[in-house]
């Protein structure tokens, strides 16, 4: 995880009243999605429901999770929170309807920055599960230490021998796999 950011996947439960309030914007409140150097973004049209930054971000994250889970799992990849800028970095396969639905329900004091990916989170999660199930397959070649779906549209696999593991994992699982070096966890006695 990058310093100063939090990652979120779809929430398990979100209040239905929040979803209804977020999707019921009047036509005059339709968000404007602007393009800035290859990515786009918006500032939500909803009144700032909270002056507390953490609470405003949580409202925005809950809204994105609801929209992604209910109607747009086929394009949603992930989300990262930028606490300093009071912004969400939203990774998705570009889809105008998803962008409008997200931007419509965001509090006015939160910015959404939209980033293009090519793979939905559902596909990444399935690949993480497949690699996890096959960990014993690689024991004689390298030590597979971590597996995680990245909101940026790939699966990060941490191993002890990246040069050995990368060609084998890419051949087995495709180009969505990014291999990195991962240290062996150390147990500390106190």
């Amino acid at each position: 995880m990058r310093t100063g950011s939090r990652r979120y996947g779809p929430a398990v439960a979100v209040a239905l009243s929040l979803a209804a309030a977020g999707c019921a914007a009047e036509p005059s409140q339709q968000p404007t999605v602007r393009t800035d150097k290859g990515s786009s973004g918006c500032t939500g049209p909803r009144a700032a429901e909270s002056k507390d930054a953490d609470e405003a971000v949580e409202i925005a994250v809950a809204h994105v999770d609801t929209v992604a889970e209910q109607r747009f799992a086929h394009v949603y990849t992930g989300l990262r929170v930028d606490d300093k800028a009071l912004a969400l970095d939203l990774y998705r396969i570009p889809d105008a309807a998803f962008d409008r639905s997200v931007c419509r329900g965001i509090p006015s004091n939160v910015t959404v920055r939209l980033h293009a990916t090519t793979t939905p989170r559902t596909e990444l999660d399935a690949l993480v599960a497949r690699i996890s199930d096959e960990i014993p397959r690689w024991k004689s070649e390298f030590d597979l230490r971590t597996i995680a779906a990245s909101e940026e549209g790939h699966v990060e696999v941490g191993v002890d021998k990246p040069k050995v593991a990368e060609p084998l994992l890419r051949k087995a699982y495709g180009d969505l796999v990014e291999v990195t070096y991962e240290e062996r966890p150390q147990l500390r006695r106190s």
Side-chain angles (χ1 to χ4, degrees):
M1 185 183 309
R2 290 173 175 81
T3 307
S5 66
R6 293 179 279 166
R7 293 181 178 183
Y8 290 87
V12 176
V14 177
L16 291 176
S17 61
L18 177 63
C23 295
E26 294 296 319
S28 63
Q29 295 178 324
Q30 294 299 319
T32 303
V33 179
R34 64 186 183 280
T35 302
D36 298 323
K37 297 181 183 175
S39 67
S40 30
C42 63
T43 301
R46 288 172 68 176
E49 296 170 13
S50 173
K51 301 240 187 264
D52 178 63
D54 287 337
E55 187 177 346
V57 166
E58 292 302 323
I59 290 168
V61 168
H63 171 70
V64 171
D65 285 348
T66 299
V67 170
E69 194 174 284
Q70 290 178 354
R71 295 183 17 224
F72 293 99
H74 64 287
V75 298
Y76 178 72
T77 305
L79 177 69
R80 184 180 302 137
V81 174
D82 181 343
D83 292 315
K84 290 181 183 178
L86 198 56
L88 306 181
D89 285 297
L90 178 62
Y91 296 84
R92 85 288 186 246
I93 297 170
D95 183 285
F98 179 54
D99 296 349
R100 280 190 307 274
S101 294
V102 164
C103 292
R104 216 178 282 144
I106 298 297
S108 61
N109 54 342
V110 176
T111 299
V112 176
R113 297 182 295 231
L114 302 165
H115 304 278
T117 63
T118 58
T119 310
R121 183 59 174 240
T122 53
E123 189 176 324
L124 297 175
D125 289 343
L127 183 56
V128 167
R130 182 175 165 213
I131 295 169
S132 296
D133 289 344
E134 296 179 1
I135 288 174
R137 173 180 177 183
W138 307 109
K139 289 264 186 226
S140 65
E141 303 286 339
F142 54 86
D143 187 13
L144 203 152
R145 296 178 173 162
T146 60
I147 307 165
S150 168
E151 66 275 357
E152 295 163 338
H154 60 271
V155 173
E156 296 173 358
V157 181
V159 299
D160 63 337
K161 300 175 189 171
K163 288 182 181 178
V164 172
E166 185 168 21
L168 296 171
L169 291 172
R170 285 194 171 224
K171 182 177 180 184
Y173 305 112
D175 291 336
L176 291 178
V177 174
E178 290 198 9
V179 178
T180 61
Y181 174 73
E182 184 75 30
E183 287 186 24
R184 170 173 246 120
Q186 300 290 324
L187 294 176
R188 296 181 187 203
R189 295 182 185 174
S190 32

